[in-house]
Amino acid sequence: MSEQIENQARLRVIVADDQAAVREPLAAVLGLAEDIDVVAAAADGTEVLAAVAAGPVDVVLMDLRMPVLDGIETTRRLTEEHPEVAVVVLTTFADDESILGALGAGARGYLTKNAGRQDITRAIRAAGAGQSVLDREVQNRLLATARTKAAPAPGEAARQPLPDDLTPREREVLTLIGQGLSNRGIAEKLFISEATVKTHINNLFAKAHIRDRADAVRRAIGAGLA
């Protein structure tokens, strides 16, 4: 029975990178994790889509710059055709166009190739559980972009009011989101569990009509909390 539970819990992962010198060692290293099965290695997006169609697959670790079909377009197609498959980007590129393009296409995680094995396996596990993990460099770039977009134009009000019924804790959480902290970072900062953080975020987003984390950053900045 215990073996059956372990097998059910294992994540089925595709490693996608056009460079065999990157793809093959990465697949081998990930395959050493007790809860990860590397079910395929792909050199381009068409190979990813074929492997997913042959399935089942839980997570694709996706390079962005690949021939034939690049990582962003592949992610977009997976999001539309196989929404149950999570995508974690692993790339050398951390420019705004690449980050926003990948996240906009539906990627749940974004790491640069400076990430270590533990960072990559953690991101894969988080994506498999429906969570998002962003590289610190990526978080900082998103935060900088959000700050720029949230800056009031001449003549506009410098503050965007928040609902009066936000609790002090929800305001704390919004402040920390605005500072670029992940759910784990917020939990550690406030000495609460990640599950409690998620509850506060869900309540906060519902009350303030916040769409996503990027919108939360803009609202925190606009309200003068970050």
Side-chain angles (χ1 to χ4, degrees), residues 195-223:
T196 302
V197 171
K198 291 177 186 177
T199 298
H200 288 312
I201 289 176
N202 289 339
N203 292 339
L204 164 65
F205 280 24
K207 290 179 181 178
H209 303 290
I210 294 174
R211 297 186 302 276
D212 51 34
R213 212 170 185 90
D215 190 28
V217 172
R218 289 191 289 269
R219 292 293 297 276
I221 295 168

Side-chain angles (χ1 to χ4, degrees), residues 9-13 30 33 35-36 58-61 83-89 106-111 117-135 139 182-184 194 198 213:
R10 294 175 72 85
L11 290 167
R12 296 156 298 198
V13 176
L30 291 176
D35 58 342
I36 292 176
D58 299 305
V59 181
V60 177
L61 187 63
E84 74 283 1
V85 178
V87 173
V88 174
V89 170
R108 288 188 193 164
Y110 197 111
L111 303 176
R117 179 174 63 88
Q118 290 184 340
D119 296 323
I120 297 171
T121 53
R122 186 182 304 118
I124 288 172
R125 289 168 184 144
Q131 302 169 9
S132 298
V133 173
L134 302 178
D135 188 284
Q139 288 190 36
S182 64
N183 285 6
R184 176 176 295 183
E194 285 190 63
K198 291 177 186 177
R213 212 170 185 90

Side-chain angles (χ1 to χ4, degrees), residues 16-18 43-49 60 62-78 87 89 93 97-98 101-102 105:
D17 196 295
D18 64 323
D44 60 57
T46 59
E47 293 185 7
V48 171
L49 295 176
V60 177
M62 185 87 71
D63 187 23
L64 287 187
R65 307 294 170 89
M66 297 186 294
V68 186
L69 191 65
D70 66 25
I72 291 179
E73 181 58 28
T74 305
T75 299
R76 182 175 293 110
R77 294 192 189 182
L78 286 175
V87 173
V89 170
F93 301 96
E97 182 178 356
S98 296

